[in-house]
Amino acid sequence: MEKKCKNKKCQRSLPEGYKHKYCENCRNKQVKRIKDTGKAALGVVVLVGGTALSIATKGKINPKK
């Protein structure tokens, strides 16, 4: 029986002895999506953290000095 990629849109044939459920292309798309989500979350954390730090120090930290 020929193995197929588990992605419903893809359905590519997987080579004999392939140890993953998804083809290489689908796996790369999943990793890219995870990385992009992580970058967006990190951006939000930096924005909120910077704002919280500014509020906590009441603007006394001046990086331009």
Side-chain angles (χ1 to χ4, degrees):
M1 186 177 153
E2 187 177 300
K3 281 178 66 175
K4 296 217 180 243
C5 180
K6 293 282 185 183
N7 187 341
K8 291 179 183 175
K9 292 181 183 177
C10 177
Q11 294 293 310
R12 288 186 184 164
S13 297
L14 299 176
E16 192 75 28
Y18 195 71
K19 61 182 179 178
H20 302 287
K21 292 180 181 179
Y22 296 95
C23 69
E24 195 69 29
N25 189 43
C26 292
R27 292 174 63 219
N28 287 337
K29 286 180 183 178
Q30 288 172 344
V31 169
K32 184 180 184 322
R33 194 176 313 123
I34 291 168
K35 281 184 179 179
D36 291 346
T37 303
K39 287 177 188 175
L42 181 63
V44 169
V45 167
V46 168
L47 179 70
V48 171
T51 304
L53 182 66
S54 177
I55 291 170
T57 60
K58 297 179 183 169
K60 292 180 183 175
I61 296 176
N62 189 357
K64 295 178 183 173
K65 278 188 177 179

